[in-house]
Amino acid sequence: MPTFTLAAPVHADIEIRKSRFIALAVPVPDREAAMGVIADLRTQHPTATHVCWALLAGGQSGMSDDGEPSGTAGRPILEVLRHHDLDGVLAAVVRYYGGIKLGAGGLVRAYTDAIAVALKDAARIERIAYTTLTVLVDYPDEPRVRRWIEQSADAGCSLAETRYGALATLVIRLPATLREQAQATLRDATHGRAGFPAHED
């Protein structure tokens, strides 16, 4: 199933029973970048009651209720991100308390609504996982490999590195989903002579 990230940051500002909820969703590469955004929000809103957030970023996901009752802020925000099939996205909601308690159910709804409103018309772009494919070939076969890379540029393939020794080594950057197909095609193009050493993603 494809996952998406945001084309650009989005925000919303809603009021629920005198409390102000400022929602922000922003594309981030990793947890470190996300924590930088949270720090900036705290600086911009020094008098805010809570800065709650959720992050979906591969294995670096996380969330925080920031003092709200457990499970009433971070998790609802995270669920909205999941509902939109997002990854590589930080969603945060800054709350200014208006003096009326919302109760656990009310808080869940408020945090869900704030981030849902922000994401309502957000432009999403598909996230594509990239990998590398190392190809070892004799020099006479190198042009064949280069031709395939050029022909596959529209599919997201590019030459990342070239090294020359006893054989020519070409490192191709390509969408992970195309890796096996690329290996088979290049094996055919070189009549089985291309070698593919074990790779690291």
Side-chain angles (χ1 to χ4, degrees):
M1 203 169 99
T3 59
F4 300 86
T5 188
L6 295 176
V10 292
H11 64 273
D13 196 332
I14 66 173
E15 191 178 299
I16 298 170
R17 298 183 68 189
K18 295 197 161 69
S19 275
R20 184 179 173 204
F21 293 85
I22 304 163
L24 170 78
V26 56
V28 290
D30 52 34
R31 193 178 180 105
E32 189 180 342
M35 294 304 100
V37 175
I38 297 295
D40 288 347
L41 279 175
R42 291 190 193 283
T43 305
Q44 290 164 26
H45 299 278
T47 60
T49 324
H50 307 281
V51 179
C52 305
W53 57 270
L55 168 70
L56 275 180
Q60 304 181 14
S61 302
M63 60 188 167
S64 168
D65 293 314
D66 193 38
E68 291 282 32
S70 179
T72 60
R75 183 159 297 288
I77 296 169
L78 191 72
E79 291 307 323
V80 175
L81 291 180
R82 286 205 175 112
H83 175 73
H84 284 270
D85 298 320
L86 291 169
D87 193 54
V89 174
L90 167 73
V93 180
V94 177
R95 181 187 182 194
Y96 286 91
Y97 180 55
I100 298 172
K101 284 190 168 19
L102 299 182
L107 285 173
V108 168
R109 276 193 301 279
Y111 282 101
T112 300
D113 289 352
I115 211 68
V117 169
L119 289 170
K120 188 164 64 92
D121 298 315
R124 303 184 310 166
I125 46 178
E126 189 170 348
R127 272 173 72 90
I128 298 172
Y130 274 83
T131 187
T132 55
L133 174 64
T134 303
V135 188
L136 295 177
V137 286
D138 290 320
Y139 288 95
D141 284 324
E142 186 189 354
R144 292 187 176 95
V145 176
R146 286 182 176 271
R147 197 171 310 120
W148 178 84
I149 296 168
E150 281 163 23
Q151 289 166 351
S152 305
D154 289 348
C157 302
S158 61
L159 182 60
E161 189 185 341
T162 318
R163 295 188 296 271
Y164 294 108
L167 295 169
T169 303
L170 294 92
V171 181
I172 304 167
R173 185 172 185 272
L174 74 175
T177 51
L178 296 182
R179 195 166 187 282
E180 283 179 25
Q181 181 190 332
Q183 247 178 328
T185 305
L186 291 170
R187 197 174 280 125
D188 287 349
T190 58
H191 302 288
R193 291 185 295 269
F196 303 97
H199 81 299
E200 308 277 307
D201 276 334

